[in-house]
Amino acid sequence: MSLPTNVRLVEVGPRDGLQNEKQPISVADKVRLVDDLSAAGLGYIEVGSFVSPKWVPQMAGSAEVFAQIQQRAGVTYAALAPNLKGFEDALTAGVKEVAVFAAASEAFSQKNINCSISESLQRFVPVMEAAQQHGIRVRGYVSCVLGCPYEGEVAPQQVAAVAKELFAMGCYEVSLGDTIGTGTAGHTRSLFEVVGRDIPRDKLAGHFHDTYGQALANIYASLLEGISVFDSSVAGLGGCPYAKGASGNVASEDVLYLLNGLGIHTGIDLEQLIAAGQRICNVLGRDNGSRVARVRHAAQ
Ligand code: HMG
Ligand code: MG
């Protein structure tokens, strides 16, 4: 299969990246990050989550962040909503697109959202109905698609079953999450080959955490499978609070460097993206998780 000419990057840094940070981060710093990212040309930004603040305290200010960002025309600003309450809070905050999230492993589903996989899917039904009423698009996630921190190996058929249900209930796109970053290029190809039998490949996305340093290889493998939407996190920020040891998503800067090298269009400016990532790293007092950004920064 030939490579796509265009790729859409879904920037999850403000949500997946920051959700795991223990230190307080001001609303102003979160807003600045989102505005820097849209200025760099990102067309899709996951800004926050409407989840229980007891479960993920860092996302508690998501409504304030939505109220203060400068919404640019043509940019999608999305949020996670695990249930109807989350959806209603998102709606009140003026959110125009939400994401629901399920898992391919039972143990992770219990740890992350306190219910079984089938209960989670039932919970999404009223969310989908309300979203349709309000003209809100819903994206779906499946976690632990290439391994689970509690159950180990996860069969592609298990992923396909959950992804198929999300797609059938109205998610316009399903993002497959390698939550703990154990996947390899070979497994990634098999996964898309299996899931791609039930869902058109242009309705699938890849969401790779970089724990084992395989994320860029997995993205390249996904491109070869006809996938053209990838989730990434500026400066490689983050990790999942319910997947111990899981590192951040693949760094957006590094994915962009890969795509630029392949001549694939994204509409994103690498230098502005690097500056956005470095700024939030300075705020957090963290090393930059992007290899590309580290080289560019050292050269200055
Ligand atoms: P629960 O405790 O079972 O919920 O949590 P409940 O319905 O029994 O309600 C208990 C309390 O929570 C009640 O409050 C509710 O009002 C409140 P109380 O009466 O005790 O004061 N509550 C809420 N508050 C705010 N927003 C809500 C909400 N819902 C209930 N939406 C629940 C179930 C799903 C809420 C909880 O487990 C939760 O919030 N989990 C979120 C976990 C999370 O955000 N994980 C990280 C994101 S997923 C991820 O990172 C993976 C991904 O990146 C892909 C990948 O990498 O694989 C997407
Ligand atoms: Mg994730």
Side-chain angles (χ1 to χ4, degrees):
M1 191 177 283
S2 56
L3 296 176
T5 49
N6 290 279
V7 154
R8 178 157 58 84
L9 282 192
V10 169
E11 172 58 51
V12 296
R15 194 279 303 171
D16 209 348
L18 298 187
Q19 71 181 7
N20 214 21
E21 284 292 332
K22 298 287 175 284
Q23 57 179 307
I25 307 167
S26 70
V27 169
D29 282 325
K30 292 178 182 174
V31 169
R32 174 68 192 260
L33 174 62
V34 174
D35 288 345
D36 285 352
L37 291 166
S38 62
L42 263 310
Y44 191 117
I45 305 171
E46 206 170 70
V47 172
S49 296
F50 291 86
V51 298
S52 163
K54 287 184 195 136
W55 285 64
V56 187
Q58 189 61 260
M59 290 291 107
S62 291
E64 284 104 304
V65 178
F66 268 95
Q68 292 177 36
I69 52 178
Q70 277 181 6
Q71 302 219 6
R72 288 177 184 247
V75 177
T76 301
Y77 298 92
L80 294 192
N83 51 21
L84 194 56
K85 171 165 173 45
F87 177 81
E88 283 165 354
D89 291 351
L91 199 64
T92 307
V95 178
K96 301 279 185 327
E97 174 156 333
V98 299
V100 293
F101 47 108
S105 107
E106 284 294 348
F108 187 78
S109 184
Q110 289 291 350
K111 297 275 184 194
N112 193 38
I113 49 176
N114 205 25
C115 63
S116 69
I117 298 170
S118 85
E119 281 165 346
S120 74
L121 295 169
Q122 281 160 29
R123 249 179 219 179
F124 300 154
V125 172
V127 174
M128 300 305 300
E129 283 168 5
Q132 203 180 12
Q133 263 172 28
H134 291 90
I136 306 272
R137 297 210 310 164
V138 184
R139 194 170 192 249
Y141 278 108
V142 185
S143 287
C144 297
V145 300
L146 292 166
C148 167
Y150 312 103
E151 292 180 10
E153 277 184 32
V154 173
Q157 289 74 12
Q158 238 167 288
V159 179
V162 179
K164 207 170 140 182
E165 292 221 33
L166 289 174
F167 190 60
M169 71 171 66
C171 291
Y172 74 90
E173 181 173 281
V174 180
S175 177
L176 303 186
D178 183 10
T179 317
I180 54 171
T182 51
T184 62
H187 283 131
T188 300
R189 290 199 77 164
S190 314
L191 176 71
F192 281 116
E193 204 271 310
V194 172
V195 181
R197 289 179 206 155
D198 292 320
I199 302 178
R201 290 176 193 218
D202 63 352
K203 307 291 183 209
L204 291 171
H207 177 110
F208 295 102
H209 286 258
D210 202 25
T211 321
Y212 281 69
Q214 302 299 303
L216 283 182
N218 293 342
I219 288 177
Y220 190 68
S222 309
L223 287 167
L224 292 173
E225 288 297 322
I227 305 303
S228 60
V229 181
F230 297 100
D231 306 350
S232 62
S233 174
V234 72
L237 295 171
C240 176
Y242 298 102
K244 203 163 178 276
S247 76
N249 297 80
V250 62
S252 306
E253 300 89 324
D254 299 358
V255 181
L256 185 57
Y257 188 83
L258 169 76
L259 297 172
N260 285 348
L262 291 167
I264 295 174
H265 181 258
T266 60
I268 304 163
D269 182 90
L270 181 60
E271 300 311 321
Q272 276 181 274
L273 184 60
I274 290 173
Q278 193 51 50
R279 188 174 193 286
I280 188 67
C281 286
N282 294 344
V283 168
L284 299 174
R286 280 194 179 278
D287 289 340
N288 198 316
S290 155
R291 303 281 292 267
V292 171
R294 282 210 297 270
V295 175
R296 295 294 170 92
H297 203 62
Q300 275 169 18

